[in-house]
Amino acid sequence: MRFLTRRITAVSACLAAFAMTVGTATAKGPGASEAEVDTSGKRSGSDLVSMIRYTSTTTGNSRKGNVVPVGNWTPPACWYEPRSAQEFSRYVENMYDETVNTPGQHSYAKASVGMFRNEYKDGKYKNYNLDKRDEGNWWVAVRDEDRWTEPEAQLCDEPPFWVENGAPPPVENPVTPQVLAELAYNRIQLPTTEVALAPEAATKVNLPTWAWLDKARFKEVSVTAALDVGGLNIQATTTAKPVSLKLEPGTPDAETYPTSGECTINDDGSIGEPYAKGKADRTPPCGIRYLRSSGDATFNLQATVTWEITWTGTGSPNPTQLPNGTFGNDQDVTVQEIQSVNR
C-alpha cells in the first residue's frame, strides 16, 4: 500500500543507505524469576528502534532456548509504531546534527539527511507538526534487530507519516495487541528437554527404558510486551504451556511407548512416570525399547516438548491461540547387549 509520495520514499531510502547507525537494541539476560528486554538506541531515517518493552517469567533451569513455531508461521519481522511530535522532532534533529557534524562524513549522506529533515521541518510538513502535537502522532517503521536482513523485514518501507488521533494508520502492519503478542512469542525462553531415563547410565537391548520429565521444570512460561508511546498504551501477554513430549530414539531399530512416541502431560504437570522398584514387569507409559546394541557408539535420542501458546491483551481478555511451539535437545544413549553365562 502506497499512501505517501515516491519522492519521500526515495529520500528515506537514500537516508537509510548513508546515515550512521548510532546504537542497537540490547537484551538483558533472563533472571531467576523475571527478565526484561530493553530496547534502546537509534537507526536511521524511517527505521527507528522499537520502544516495546518485554518482561518474562522464567523457570529456575539455567539452560534455555527459543521456542520454534510449528509450521511455516513466523512472528512479524517489521511493523509500525507511533511517536509523539516532540519525540520525532528530537530524533530527526539529533540525527541531522550527528550526521552533518561527523568528521569525514560523505557529502551525499549530509545532503540526504538534510533532504529528509527538510521534508518534515520545512517541506510537506511544517516544523514536525509540533503545533498539532495534541491532534495526532508520527508513525515510523521498525524492524526486528535480529531479522533486518530478511526480505520480510523490508516490507515496512513507508517513511514516517502523520496520523490524526482516532484514525487508523494507513499501512498493513501497525502495532496492535496481537502484533505485540506475536513479538512476545519470539522471545519465549523454554527449559531444555533432557529427560530422565531408567536405566540411567546404559540400557540393555530389549529392555524397556523408562523416560519422564519432572513437573517442577515444565511450568507455564510467559512474556509480556508493552508499548506506551505517542498516546498509545497497549500490552499483550503470550503464554506457553507444555502439552506433550516427543521421543525419537535415534535409530529405526527401536520401539517407543506409546507407539506414536508422543507422551502426553499428566494432570500434575509432569510427563511420563519415574521408574521405581517393582515396576520391572510393567510397560512404561513413556519410554523406549531398543532392539539392537549401539556398539562402541551411542544412539542420539531426541526429546522435544510441544508447547501450546496463547495470548491475552488489551481488548482481548480471553486466551487466543497462536501456533504451537516446540523446543528440545539431543542426548546420547548407550545400549548394551545382555550378557548371559551358560554352565
Side-chain angles (χ1 to χ4, degrees), residues 12-333:
S12 178
C14 189
L15 177 64
F18 299 118
M20 295 178 60
T21 298
V22 183
T24 56
T26 58
K28 300 176 183 178
S33 60
E34 189 171 69
E36 181 176 338
V37 177
D38 179 23
T39 57
S40 59
K42 295 176 286 186
R43 291 182 70 88
S44 59
S46 62
D47 189 17
L48 300 177
V49 167
S50 176
M51 299 295 288
I52 297 171
R53 296 293 181 264
Y54 302 89
T55 55
S56 63
T57 61
T58 64
T59 64
N61 188 351
S62 60
R63 296 175 58 194
K64 301 179 180 67
N66 289 98
V67 62
V68 178
V70 174
N72 296 324
W73 179 86
T74 57
C78 69
W79 58 96
Y80 295 89
E81 295 179 14
R83 298 290 186 271
S84 70
Q86 298 95 319
E87 290 168 332
F88 182 65
S89 64
R90 185 165 53 250
Y91 169 74
V92 176
E93 289 298 319
N94 289 342
M95 179 183 60
Y96 173 80
D97 290 341
E98 291 178 10
T99 303
V100 300
N101 294 318
T102 298
Q105 183 65 274
H106 291 292
S107 59
Y108 45 75
K110 295 180 180 181
S112 296
V113 75
M115 292 173 63
F116 182 85
R117 175 177 180 250
N118 289 341
E119 194 70 44
Y120 295 95
K121 186 174 183 180
D122 303 308
K124 179 178 179 180
Y125 303 97
K126 302 301 179 184
N127 197 27
Y128 307 106
N129 281 355
L130 285 171
D131 60 334
K132 301 179 180 179
R133 62 173 64 91
D134 297 326
E135 301 176 21
N137 294 286
W138 292 101
W139 282 71
V140 298
V142 180
R143 294 179 175 86
D144 187 325
E145 288 287 333
D146 296 327
R147 300 175 59 194
W148 67 273
T149 59
E150 298 180 16
E152 292 79 5
Q154 314 311 316
L155 298 178
C156 303
D157 58 358
E158 296 288 358
F161 54 93
W162 182 258
V163 178
E164 299 287 342
N165 292 335
V171 288
E172 292 185 355
N173 207 22
V175 66
T176 62
Q178 181 169 343
V179 169
L180 291 180
E182 292 172 352
L183 294 173
Y185 186 115
N186 212 32
R187 288 160 176 80
I188 293 175
Q189 292 278 303
L190 300 175
T192 53
T193 319
E194 186 169 352
V195 298
L197 299 174
E200 181 179 1
T203 188
K204 307 296 183 182
V205 173
N206 290 321
L207 177 69
T209 300
W210 292 59
W212 68 93
L213 289 169
D214 183 64
K215 63 181 179 180
R217 293 180 58 229
F218 285 85
K219 300 178 180 179
E220 290 187 358
V221 178
S222 65
V223 174
T224 297
L227 180 65
D228 185 5
V229 64
L232 183 66
N233 187 356
I234 56 175
Q235 63 85 30
T237 298
T238 300
T239 301
K241 177 183 177 181
V243 291
S244 65
L245 167 70
K246 177 73 172 181
L247 296 178
E248 297 179 78
T251 172
D253 297 317
E255 297 175 349
T256 58
Y257 306 104
T259 305
S260 64
E262 195 90 14
C263 306
T264 57
I265 194 166
N266 301 320
D267 292 338
D268 64 357
S270 64
I271 298 178
E273 181 183 324
Y275 177 77
K277 289 184 178 180
K279 296 182 179 180
D281 295 332
R282 290 176 48 188
T283 298
C286 182
I288 302 169
R289 184 167 72 97
Y290 286 97
L291 305 180
R292 68 177 178 88
S293 167
S294 60
D296 295 330
T298 57
F299 291 129
N300 186 29
L301 170 65
Q302 295 178 319
T304 304
V305 172
T306 296
W307 299 73
E308 180 182 75
I309 302 181
T310 59
W311 72 273
T312 58
T314 303
S316 299
N318 298 321
T320 301
Q321 290 288 139
L322 286 172
N324 283 352
T326 62
F327 180 64
N329 62 280
D330 304 341
Q331 57 192 93
D332 294 331
V333 177

